[in-house]
Amino acid sequence: MRRLVLPSCDITRSTINAVVMLHKMGEPAMKSITIGMDLGDKNHVVCVMDDTGKIITQCTVENSQESLMSFFSKYTGATVAMEAGTHSPWISRKLSVLGCSVLVGNPRKLRVIWDSNEKSDERDAKMLAQIARFDPGLLYPIMHRGQQAQLDLEILQARDVLVKSRTKLINHVRSSIKSFGERLPSCGPEIFHDKVPNSIPEPLKETLMPVLEIIGNLSMQIKAYDDQIEKVSKECYPETELLRRIKGVGPLTALAFILIIEDPSRFAKSRQVGSFVGLTPRRDQSGEIDKQLRITKAGNPYLRRLLVGAAQYVLGPFGEDCNLRRFGLRLAGRGGKNAKRRAVVAVARKLAVLLHRLWQYGEIYEPLYNPRKRKLQKAA
């Protein structure tokens, strides 16, 4: 029996050694790769840069899950920088699964990108990669919420869209009837479609009755969303009960606060929540000049609107006597230009801080909390 003799395997050995070295060195090498990604609706422009700042490749990737996973599977462990936008939440989640370190920049802070005389998608991707490689903190990175929190938040946002649509339709019906010298009786939006039909002038009934029917359908769907919000709050987010102890904070505000912030430990101090929702004043100080400016309006506008609405209730005729109300009334009592508006914003900011503290530490809300009195009780 003849023995089979294999040919020289120098090439095979070198190939195996190269594969082994790539396997051992691949992950550290990929960690030194920085990728800037300019997001688009149909395509994304990608700029891949090594640790020396040299551009390895710059290309366009189709905006689909298959294309993105196929492209970035070659760069596992790389740092990817992008701006926050419509597609950034799901893209950042997909890339994190691949092991990439994802940085989602705040577009409000990246003036060097959007305010340029030579702005292009290729330049934006290159600038994102350069900033992430030089100092990631200059991106002012934000954190997207998880997929489940995003799904639950969609319930609130869908309800908000329906409420705005219903309000526009109701205003349209009222203004149309006023133009004919008539006036509709005052009533809540929930019963508007039931109470108004008998008061509509005969010439307008054929035109406005279909609108009233749509308003009725919207009210039914809004009520269904309200029931769903109550159910989700009780089953999935029981901590909302702690927040709703504050009179003026309803299920919408409590659940939106939980879902948008998502993790209370992301803030070292509760006072930082006011800045997160954009309720702190901007600052422009130079030398002896320190201007008094308006609030930043950064963060989520929906949550900010809910907090301001809750603050208006606290300061309104139905608000209970509490430290928040006393604080706001003191500010409003000082007078001056827009004193009441400033008081509402200040109460909304203080309310955000209070909600975060109740949530983080599980404390029971006391309307007239007195820390000095509590210390005396503990000492006794």
Side-chain angles (χ1 to χ4, degrees), residues 215-241:
I215 293 174
N217 294 333
L218 289 177
S219 297
M220 292 176 58
Q221 187 58 56
I222 292 171
K223 180 63 171 61
Y225 276 133
D226 290 337
D227 297 338
Q228 189 176 359
I229 289 170
E230 287 283 358
K231 181 180 178 181
V232 170
S233 298
K234 290 181 180 179
E235 295 180 356
C236 305
Y237 305 96
E239 57 270 26
T240 55
E241 293 296 327

Side-chain angles (χ1 to χ4, degrees), residues 37-40 43-46 59-63 68 91:
M37 191 174 180
D38 185 71
L39 303 182
N43 298 292
H44 311 305
V45 177
V46 177
C59 60
T60 300
V61 181
E62 184 183 355
N63 184 22
L68 288 172
I91 292 177

Side-chain angles (χ1 to χ4, degrees), residues 35-256:
I35 302 175
M37 191 174 180
D38 185 71
L39 303 182
D41 191 50
K42 295 182 179 179
N43 298 292
H44 311 305
V45 177
V46 177
C47 178
V48 183
M49 192 174 292
D50 62 13
D51 56 347
T52 63
K54 180 182 177 181
I55 297 178
I56 300 175
T57 181
Q58 193 164 13
C59 60
T60 300
V61 181
E62 184 183 355
N63 184 22
S64 65
Q65 298 187 24
E66 295 79 10
S67 299
L68 288 172
M69 298 294 281
S70 174
F71 179 83
F72 282 96
S73 60
K74 300 176 292 185
Y75 300 102
T76 302
T79 299
V80 183
M82 67 185 73
E83 286 185 285
T86 304
H87 298 286
S88 61
W90 71 267
I91 292 177
S92 61
R93 287 193 290 265
K94 290 291 183 182
L95 297 186
S96 297
V97 171
L98 289 177
C100 296
S101 177
V102 183
L103 298 172
V104 183
N106 187 347
R108 294 167 60 99
K109 303 290 187 179
L110 296 175
R111 188 183 184 93
V112 68
I113 292 181
W114 56 261
D115 188 12
S116 174
N117 295 329
E118 299 180 1
K119 188 180 185 305
S120 66
D121 295 341
E122 290 76 11
R123 179 187 176 277
D124 293 351
K126 179 181 176 181
M127 289 295 296
L128 285 169
Q130 289 177 335
I131 294 173
R133 191 179 68 86
F134 176 71
D135 185 1
L138 296 177
L139 292 171
Y140 294 89
I142 63 175
M143 183 179 66
H144 283 304
R145 63 188 61 88
Q147 185 173 1
Q148 186 58 49
Q150 184 66 38
L151 288 173
D152 294 334
L153 186 61
E154 289 298 328
I155 302 173
L156 302 180
Q157 294 176 341
R159 180 193 182 277
D160 186 52
V161 171
L162 294 186
V163 170
K164 289 180 179 179
S165 301
R166 184 179 65 178
T167 301
K168 288 183 179 180
L169 292 176
I170 290 176
N171 291 338
H172 169 71
V173 173
R174 288 189 179 278
S175 63
S176 298
I177 292 179
K178 283 182 180 180
S179 64
F180 280 79
E182 302 290 339
R183 187 178 294 271
L184 294 177
S186 59
C187 61
E190 298 83 4
I191 60 174
F192 183 83
H193 60 286
D194 290 330
K195 192 173 182 179
V196 163
N198 295 331
S199 302
I200 297 179
E202 196 64 33
L204 288 175
K205 281 192 174 181
E206 184 178 356
T207 304
L208 295 182
M209 287 303 294
V211 180
L212 291 180
E213 184 178 353
I214 295 175
I215 293 174
N217 294 333
L218 289 177
S219 297
M220 292 176 58
Q221 187 58 56
I222 292 171
K223 180 63 171 61
Y225 276 133
D226 290 337
D227 297 338
Q228 189 176 359
I229 289 170
E230 287 283 358
K231 181 180 178 181
V232 170
S233 298
K234 290 181 180 179
E235 295 180 356
C236 305
Y237 305 96
E239 57 270 26
T240 55
E241 293 296 327
L242 292 173
L243 311 187
R244 292 175 61 177
R245 288 177 176 268
I246 303 175
K247 191 174 181 181
V249 176
L252 286 177
T253 305
L255 185 57

